[in-house]
Amino acid sequence: MPLTALLLPMLLAEPLAQATPAGQEDPQDNAATAGTPKPEIPPVLLPAGTESAPEDIDNGVIDGRRRPGYQAPLPEKVTQDNPGAVRAPPPEAFSQEEFPIPDRWRLIQTLGVVKEHWWDPYNQNTYKGDRPINRAKVPWLPIKEDDWFFTAGLTSDTVLEPRTFPIPVGVQTTERPGSLNVFGKDASLVFSQTVIATASLVKGQTAFKPPVVEYKVALALNYNYVNVPEKRVLFVEPSKPSHRSDHFLGVQEAFIDYHLRNVSDRYDFDSIRVGIQPFQADFRGFLFNDQQLGIRLFGNRDNNRVQYNLAAFWRLEKDTNSGLNSVVERPRDDFVFVANVYRQDFLIPALTSQFTVVYNRNREAGQIKVDDNGFPVRPALLGNLRGRDYDVFYLGYNADGHVGRINVTASAYAALGQDRNSIFTDKKADIRAFFGAAELSYDHDWMRFRLSGLYASGDHDPYDSTETGFDAIFENPIFAGADTSYWIRQTIPFAGGGRVIGVNGRNGILNSLRSSKDQGQSNFNNPGTMLVGAGGDFDLTPELRLSTNANHLWFENTTTLQTLRNEGSIPNDIGWDLSAAAIWRPKATQNIVARLSAAALVPGKGFRDLFDNAEGNRNYYSILANVIVTY
């Protein structure tokens, strides 16, 4: 029977008692005092079966609802047994839902999420510096504390490069009978395999502060094979074949990095690094981008918004065919001194400005250097063929950042100094040369569009007392397509105006007329370079990127070329450099990177005036297949 049916007769029979306000007497109490009996209120009847809850039902929670005032029992006390762990903060420092853990290195393995394997570079690995060294396992290692880390790396860099470029015919003998032209066949092939092994030992917890000390070594083993169609391109002796295989082991890094001090509670610091070390003088590698023997004082201030470098480098000799450092030869009489400072949000917010002073002191006039293939590289066989000393100061400003939605990278240099022996006059000459480059880019979703421009002054009068052709110390530019570009990737020989001289250098953009970018001296008697280009990067997927570039190149002034070639007029137009590259990164990581690129040079009037080939080809090409695998 419904509850309302039971209560209705009682409600009709007699009204319920009303509540009495606080502080007032109940009339019923007065009646009771007077001896008047109270009327009895019949009890409220509950439905059958609801008088008490069953024993198996929690009185605190029924059907997902908690009874007011009910306190559930607390879980068992959490304890941990972890000998050697840092003492945890007091319990009041944590909420009731948290408890302290041992340390960030052992956490993953303690939880059983990852089981470490030495060959696995993706997950936690002691050999990748993710966990400190267990001193008990390496008692022979002279370390005394528990915050030492070891990092090992192995990189394979494979290059296959078919290409064409103007190749002079051998003078004493030729590869084929009847080769009588100045330039012969132009197709060649390059294969290069480099394996780089690195190892570093670091002290200090580096998540928020610099390492206390770091020891690092990097060795590179290179094997290369080249096949060209003409004699005296690979070897000075005409009797040797027109193909060559070579190998070399170079020391690319070997330094000690020591943390001198912290200068703020945000870990602004001063450190010093001594040994063979990488250094890049500007954002894009226009002036000096190399791994050389040196000493470097560096650090930061103002919560890392200001950074600085004071460095001195003693340049090592390079292996001729691999370009790697040779530590078995005496270093060159060529010194580079660098001072620079970076400032974020200067001159405008979101722009980092860098001010640089670089001094290059060269004293190699009294030396003769012949490379491994028998070709003289110092002094260069150009002009009077005499050795040179020079002192050059580079004053530079570089910027990197963005203005609104426009990404900006810019560089400007003035080269000021003195050449002790000009190759044209045998006299001293002042050096007054200038350089400027800029790249603007705009990002739209998965696309980036780029505009590039570069100017390097050329020498307008080889016989005056001023050299105005700009040249760098050791350039490796990341600009206008970088080594995807034909002009940056390939060396164009300057036949007919100098022996074993290139118009430009491999992995270089300047038309410097040097014997070798690796082993030669800077030359400020050159035609200069101008470039205007456009390009785009398209991230088709997280793993696949397509890059395209179209650059037009000119000589800034061809007076030097006319003098060396004994020609009355040479046009400035070099031509169009067109390139495209596909870059694939499986699993969207940097551990495997494959690149396939193609570039073509469509010669302009100036290039066709200087060069020709036996087959009458108007265009030149370069294909680059490159695979980099890193552990």
Side-chain angles (χ1 to χ4, degrees), residues 176-203:
R176 297 166 306 283
S179 297
L180 303 177
N181 294 330
V182 176
F183 294 93
K185 290 183 176 293
D186 55 14
S188 66
L189 175 69
V190 175
F191 172 78
S192 176
Q193 173 64 55
T194 304
V195 177
I196 304 172
T198 63
S200 62
L201 186 63
V202 179
K203 175 179 171 56

Side-chain angles (χ1 to χ4, degrees), residues 478-489:
I478 310 299
F479 185 76
D483 58 358
T484 298
S485 158
Y486 181 92
W487 196 257
I488 294 178
R489 183 69 180 176

Side-chain angles (χ1 to χ4, degrees), residues 387-445:
R388 300 164 49 237
D389 293 336
Y390 52 85
D391 298 275
V392 186
F393 287 91
Y394 294 91
L395 308 179
Y397 170 77
N398 300 278
D400 185 72
H402 62 89
V403 180
R405 293 196 60 183
I406 305 298
N407 305 305
V408 177
T409 297
S411 293
Y413 285 104
L416 310 174
Q418 187 179 74
D419 188 344
R420 304 297 180 87
N421 178 29
S422 171
I423 62 173
F424 288 100
T425 64
D426 286 336
K427 298 179 181 179
K428 293 181 180 179
D430 294 329
I431 298 171
R432 299 289 185 271
F434 302 93
F435 172 90
E439 180 179 279
L440 307 179
S441 64
Y442 179 82
D443 296 325
H444 179 70
D445 200 359

